[in-house]
Amino acid sequence: MAKKPEIPHVVVSRLPIYLRALEHARQEGLTCISSQELGERLSISSAQIRKDLSMFGEYGKQGRGYPVDALIHALRQHLHVDRVWDVVLVGVGDLGHALARYKGFAERGFRIAMAFDKDPAKIGTTAGDLTVEDIRLLARRVQEAGIKIGMIATPAAAAQEVANLLVFAGVRAILNYAPIHLTVPNDVRVEYLDPVIPLQRMTYYL
Amino acid sequence: MAKKPEIPHVVVSRLPIYLRALEHARQEGLTCISSQELGERLSISSAQIRKDLSMFGEYGKQGRGYPVDALIHALRQHLHVDRVWDVVLVGVGDLGHALARYKGFAERGFRIAMAFDKDPAKIGTTAGDLTVEDIRLLARRVQEAGIKIGMIATPAAAAQEVANLLVFAGVRAILNYAPIHLTVPNDVRVEYLDPVIPLQRMTYYL
DNA sequence: GCCGGCTTGTGCAAATTTGCACAAGGAGAC
DNA sequence: GTCTCCTTGTGCAAATTTGCACAAGCCGGC
Ligand SMILES: NC(=O)c1ccc[n+]([C@@H]2O[C@H](COP(=O)([O-])OP(=O)(O)OC[C@H]3O[C@@H](n4cnc5c(N)ncnc54)[C@H](O)[C@@H]3O)[C@@H](O)[C@H]2O)c1
Ligand SMILES: NC(=O)c1ccc[n+]([C@@H]2O[C@H](COP(=O)([O-])OP(=O)(O)OC[C@H]3O[C@@H](n4cnc5c(N)ncnc54)[C@H](O)[C@@H]3O)[C@@H](O)[C@H]2O)c1
């Protein structure tokens, strides 16, 4: 039931990275991988990986390592990506277009099911294999479809308003590309993808 | 001289977020802001903010808070974004195009100065106000221009190869959009922007 | 069947990170 | 000038996170 107290968020935040690396390893034909091998590929200590994985069960075989297929399957289950999540995209400008056409979501558990924009010139046009819809229809459409995940690719000035709308429509997780912090209820999660933030983190060391 | 031992990376990693929030506050006309006010805007404790900022000097005025302009200026200096950094973009597909046209870099210290691709059909075309160049010219051009920051927007299969090339050309910081971990020398920094990672972090809680 | 070589899972200690709580001090009212 | 209000900067304690080191155990070889 209560998951957060059991598994610290730092651990959860590393799981998708393990999963991605394991899927690469599988593509290379590996059937079994040790925590050391995985650690070297990810620049993470092997102890860290073992401890993280052990919080979910004992998947490893002593002497061999972790069976790749089984571990991928288990991680997908724990991350709840052993299914496909519908996602609603808001803002179909340059970035929104690229996202709508991006093939990388489908393989990894996500499908952009709807796209909305405010601009009448955009509404009705196509992006990827979607037709851009009027933002005013968002609440009803998202509610009816039961969509729980939203992606914001509007200008920063509109992002909070869009976030409010998404929350109202029942969205519980938001991926925000706009360079602004969002204020949302406690039971809604937000992740940020402003490319300038990591750039500035790196220039500190240059 | 030695900065890493002095300022922990967790602290550095929050500075760009403070900076972004302060710039928003300035746009709203604020000239002074308390750690509490800033903390509420960012969902960070005020003590955290005070402690972080105090590592760089005493910018606050007791009873008032922090002068917005001066703090912005100071943070920019510490992050080394009190200047404009040239960036090299590799891979001008859907995402690369959006990045090349993105106006949000210039205001915050970055300028995409060159763009390269491998595809002959792309070379010579324009993206934003850049002309796409042949990847084979990258090493020389980047070296001559002294560019230290690279952005990778190629498919994952090409990313490591591109990273090697960038490092060879003198790049010391890489922003990687491809969904794959890169192996680079110790003195080169990499940050990752795979949108599926934060999505999977959120579905854990859904 | 037994041995040697690896690798897991984990108790414990070290290191890092966060948060509390308060003395010190600036600003404005009067 | 003095009093009150508010906020900073920080010592210290709590909580979290990482890493070490090793007993336990699986596997393949002989
Ligand atoms: N372009 C990039 O490469 C890039 C990279 C990182 C982050 N971003 C951020 O992503 C966001 C979008 O960037 P972009 O370059 O695509 O901008 P854009 O101007 O090309 O597109 C923004 C879109 O949002 C729509 N929009 C505006 N207000 C809206 C509202 N209230 N409801 C619904 N739709 C609305 C606009 O009609 C437009 O189609 C910005 O916040 C930007 O800072 C962009
Ligand atoms: N499109 C998106 O919204 C999006 C979002 C997040 C991440 N990504 C990631 O960003 C990367 C690019 O995505 P995209 O949708 O733009 O793909 P794309 O296929 O449209 O573009 C990739 C570009 O890279 C070029 N390229 C290939 N190999 C190269 C090499 N060795 N050197 C130089 N250029 C090379 C190709 O010619 C092409 O122009 C992918 O790794 C993708 O997973 C894309």
Side-chain angles (χ1 to χ4, degrees), chain A residues 20 24 102 108, chain B residues 90 95 99 151-163 174-182 190-197:
Chain A
R20 190 176 69 182
H24 283 133
Y102 183 45
R108 294 163 72 196
Chain B
V90 186
L95 180 62
L99 292 171
M151 290 182 29
I152 299 180
T154 66
Q160 182 63 59
E161 178 191 359
V162 168
I174 294 175
L175 186 62
N176 180 30
Y177 277 92
I180 190 168
H181 182 87
L182 299 178
V190 183
E191 294 265 349
Y192 298 88
L193 279 181
D194 175 356
V196 174
I197 299 291

Side-chain angles (χ1 to χ4, degrees), chain A residues 95-107:
Chain A
L95 180 61
H97 247 97
L99 292 171
R101 292 166 46 84
Y102 183 45
K103 303 295 179 202
F105 290 123
E107 310 149 8

Side-chain angles (χ1 to χ4, degrees), chain B residues 8-10 14 45 47-48 50-51 61-64:
Chain B
H9 181 68
V10 259
R14 281 189 292 261
S45 83
Q48 182 84 89
R50 287 200 300 281
K51 189 157 272 187
K61 312 280 183 198
Q62 281 143 333
R64 309 284 300 156

Side-chain angles (χ1 to χ4, degrees), chain A residues 43-153:
Chain A
S43 318
I44 292 179
S45 83
S46 62
Q48 181 85 87
I49 291 174
R50 287 200 301 280
K51 188 157 274 186
D52 286 352
L53 295 180
S54 75
M55 306 195 92
F56 295 91
E58 310 205 347
Y59 297 106
K61 312 280 182 196
Q62 281 142 331
R64 309 285 297 157
Y66 296 85
V68 173
D69 266 328
L71 189 51
I72 286 174
H73 189 71
L75 285 180
R76 282 205 185 126
Q77 278 190 330
H78 291 299
L79 288 170
H80 303 157
V81 288
D82 52 346
R83 49 165 285 185
V84 175
W85 291 89
D86 278 351
V87 177
V88 50
L89 171 65
V90 186
V92 191
D94 283 333
L95 180 61
H97 247 97
L99 292 171
R101 292 166 46 84
Y102 183 45
K103 303 295 179 202
F105 290 123
E107 310 149 8
R108 294 163 72 196
F110 302 91
R111 181 179 79 100
I112 299 186
M114 304 175 182
F116 295 88
D117 203 294
K118 189 185 199 174
D119 183 353
K122 294 259 168 64
I123 296 166
T125 63
T126 57
D129 50 7
L130 296 172
T131 300
V132 179
E133 303 180 53
D134 189 326
I135 183 86
R136 286 171 294 185
L137 304 178
L138 186 147
R140 187 160 16 121
R141 293 266 290 132
V142 167
Q143 231 155 19
E144 282 176 7
I147 294 179
K148 296 295 168 210
I149 306 176
M151 290 183 27
I152 300 181

Side-chain angles (χ1 to χ4, degrees), chain B:
Chain B
M1 183 88 60
K3 266 181 182 170
K4 207 166 10 175
E6 287 175 24
I7 313 282
H9 181 68
V10 259
V11 175
V12 172
S13 76
R14 281 189 292 261
L15 296 186
I17 295 169
Y18 298 161
L19 178 55
R20 190 176 67 183
L22 288 165
E23 283 168 344
H24 283 133
R26 177 160 67 179
Q27 275 202 321
E28 292 167 23
L30 271 80
T31 59
C32 208
I33 190 168
S34 70
S35 60
Q36 186 159 42
E37 163 79 8
L38 190 57
E40 278 165 18
R41 287 172 177 237
L42 294 175
S43 319
I44 293 179
S45 83
S46 61
Q48 182 84 89
I49 292 175
R50 287 200 300 281
K51 189 157 272 187
D52 286 352
L53 295 180
S54 75
M55 305 196 93
F56 295 92
E58 312 205 344
Y59 297 106
K61 312 280 183 198
Q62 281 143 333
R64 309 284 300 156
Y66 296 85
V68 174
D69 265 329
L71 188 51
I72 287 174
H73 189 72
L75 285 181
R76 283 207 184 125
Q77 279 191 329
H78 291 299
L79 288 170
H80 302 157
V81 287
D82 52 345
R83 49 165 285 185
V84 176
W85 291 88
D86 278 351
V87 177
V88 51
L89 170 65
V90 186
V92 191
D94 284 332
L95 180 62
H97 248 97
L99 292 171
R101 292 166 46 86
Y102 183 44
K103 304 295 179 203
F105 290 123
E107 311 149 7
R108 294 163 72 196
F110 301 91
R111 181 179 80 99
I112 299 186
M114 304 174 183
F116 295 87
D117 204 294
K118 190 185 198 174
D119 183 353
K122 294 259 168 61
I123 296 166
T125 63
T126 58
D129 50 7
L130 295 172
T131 300
V132 179
E133 303 180 52
D134 189 326
I135 184 85
R136 285 172 294 185
L137 303 178
L138 186 148
R140 187 160 16 122
R141 293 267 290 132
V142 167
Q143 231 154 19
E144 282 176 7
I147 294 178
K148 295 293 167 212
I149 306 176
M151 290 182 29
I152 299 180
T154 66
Q160 182 63 59
E161 178 191 359
V162 168
N164 297 345
L165 187 57
L166 287 172
V167 170
F168 173 76
V171 162
R172 304 262 311 283
I174 294 175
L175 186 62
N176 180 30
Y177 277 92
I180 190 168
H181 182 87
L182 299 178
T183 302
V184 298
N186 278 332
D187 61 341
V188 176
R189 301 200 158 252
V190 183
E191 294 265 349
Y192 298 88
L193 279 181
D194 175 356
V196 174
I197 299 291
L199 286 173
Q200 292 183 339
R201 279 176 186 158
M202 294 193 290
T203 52
Y204 176 82
Y205 299 99
L206 291 184

